[in-house]
Amino acid sequence: MKVAIRVDGNKEMGFGHMYRQRSLSQAFPKDTKIFFLTKTPLDAKAVIGEAQIIALEENDLEQVLSFVKENSIDVVITDNYNLDENYLSELHRACAVATVDDLNHLEKYDVDLIINQNIYGKDLDYNCGNCKVLGGTEYAIIGENFVELDREEKLVNETPKMLVTFGGADKHHLAVKVADALSDFEEKIHAVFVLGNGFEDKELLNKELESWSNSFEILHDVKNMAPVILGCDFAVSAAGTTTYELAYCGTPTISICQADNQKDIAAGMQKAEFSINLGDAQDVLAEEIRDAVQLILLDKELRERMANVGKNLVDGRGAERVAEAIAGLAK
């Protein structure tokens, strides 16, 4: 089977779609030939690593259609909010199409399969004719490095570990905001700051941490987040795809939304009682961060309940289920 994945990512738009497609690509049989088609090839190489990466021009539809025809592609997977109805329809004329979507923002989806991995995914009514829709967290796409973990081995640290992670770029400077909010935090914690390859606030963060009363460590461009997440007692995180990795590991989360497409995730995961939703990055206050950390830190029973909810929501087989459904389109 030959699969082409149409995905972009950079500091401005974020890297979440690329990470998601890297995880999905790992779930296909080893003999599957996979190509990543992208307008951001250098960023793709940094995220995806050793893979067949095809650089696209600005107006790429004709280039993609030619690539599909010349390489006898069986299925194209799209994971990109910028592809419109015409793009998907033209692509569908050339081959089978599976769309990984979060928004249901198009009037019509002319595709064979739609995957919405989000907690609200089952509730959306897609206008896609006879296409199949896979919705909900049972289709949450997380990487094989997470699935290989024994999540039941999660330990409670003597000094609680707090993970701070806001994706590849952290364009709203949230790591610095968290560091500032907790600079004189009285309860004992050990903070683990994970900074992506697009993080540009290193000097500001280091300056904030100079006056910290608690211990901390800074990890840069971590290639395998699974043991880091499993090793932390709770997290302060963006409300994107990482939310489902945190849920799988049973790591209770304080969510801050970096983009509009994260709002429903944060709201849904709070309603399910896995996370505490602090709302938009631009509006969150230092005292709200402090209060949420104090609440989750001091209430062990709350953390245990949140952890169990997360593990029940995400069982780790989402990528496998999605890959099987996509493989079925090629038959």
Side-chain angles (χ1 to χ4, degrees), residues 200-217:
E200 296 181 342
D201 293 333
K202 292 176 184 176
E203 289 186 15
L204 281 173
L205 180 60
N206 288 333
K207 186 174 181 179
E208 286 292 347
L209 292 173
E210 284 176 2
S211 60
W212 251 49
S213 57
N214 272 299
S215 61
F216 63 88
E217 60 188 289

Side-chain angles (χ1 to χ4, degrees), residues 40-183:
T40 55
L42 294 179
D43 295 287
K45 186 171 180 59
V47 171
I48 297 163
E50 296 302 320
Q52 291 266 21
I53 296 173
I54 309 300
L56 298 177
E57 300 166 357
E58 184 59 32
N59 297 311
D60 63 282
L61 177 57
E62 291 302 322
Q63 187 182 358
V64 170
L65 291 173
S66 295
F67 182 86
V68 167
K69 183 177 180 180
E70 292 168 7
N71 292 275
S72 302
I73 298 298
D74 296 297
V75 184
V76 172
I77 302 168
T78 67
D79 192 345
N80 192 311
Y81 299 153
N82 295 320
L83 307 184
D84 61 17
E85 293 174 35
N86 178 67
Y87 191 110
L88 294 180
S89 184
E90 290 295 321
L91 198 54
H92 196 201
R93 292 178 185 176
C95 65
V97 178
T99 291
V100 180
D101 183 70
D102 303 301
L103 303 177
N104 191 18
H105 61 296
L106 300 181
E107 288 188 14
K108 184 178 181 181
Y109 289 78
D110 184 9
V111 298
D112 299 284
L113 178 68
I114 294 174
I115 304 101
N116 189 319
Q117 67 173 3
N118 296 295
I119 191 163
Y120 56 84
K122 287 183 178 179
D123 302 327
L124 299 180
D125 184 17
Y126 282 94
N127 179 15
C128 61
N130 295 321
C131 87
K132 186 174 183 179
V133 179
L134 306 180
T137 56
E138 66 187 287
Y139 301 105
I141 298 168
I142 63 174
E144 61 185 7
N145 52 329
F146 284 91
V147 180
E148 290 167 354
L149 287 175
D150 183 353
R151 60 182 180 172
E152 301 309 319
E153 289 188 354
K154 188 176 183 70
L155 301 175
V156 177
N157 297 291
E158 185 175 344
T159 298
K161 277 190 176 183
M162 175 186 70
L163 174 64
V164 180
T165 178
F166 293 103
D170 188 9
K171 62 182 179 180
H172 294 291
H173 319 289
L174 289 169
V176 174
K177 184 173 278 192
V178 170
D180 175 54
L182 301 176
S183 60

Side-chain angles (χ1 to χ4, degrees), residues 264-307:
D264 287 339
I265 299 174
M269 294 302 267
Q270 176 169 266
K271 185 177 180 181
E273 300 185 349
F274 168 70
S275 65
I276 297 170
N277 177 18
L278 296 187
D280 290 355
Q282 298 95 322
D283 302 327
V284 66
L285 302 175
E287 63 191 64
E288 293 175 318
I289 296 171
R290 288 174 64 91
D291 289 347
V293 170
Q294 184 135 14
L295 172 64
I296 208 169
L297 180 65
L298 297 182
D299 193 335
K300 183 180 177 182
E301 289 185 1
L302 173 64
R303 291 204 308 273
E304 289 176 351
R305 289 198 304 272
M306 294 169 78

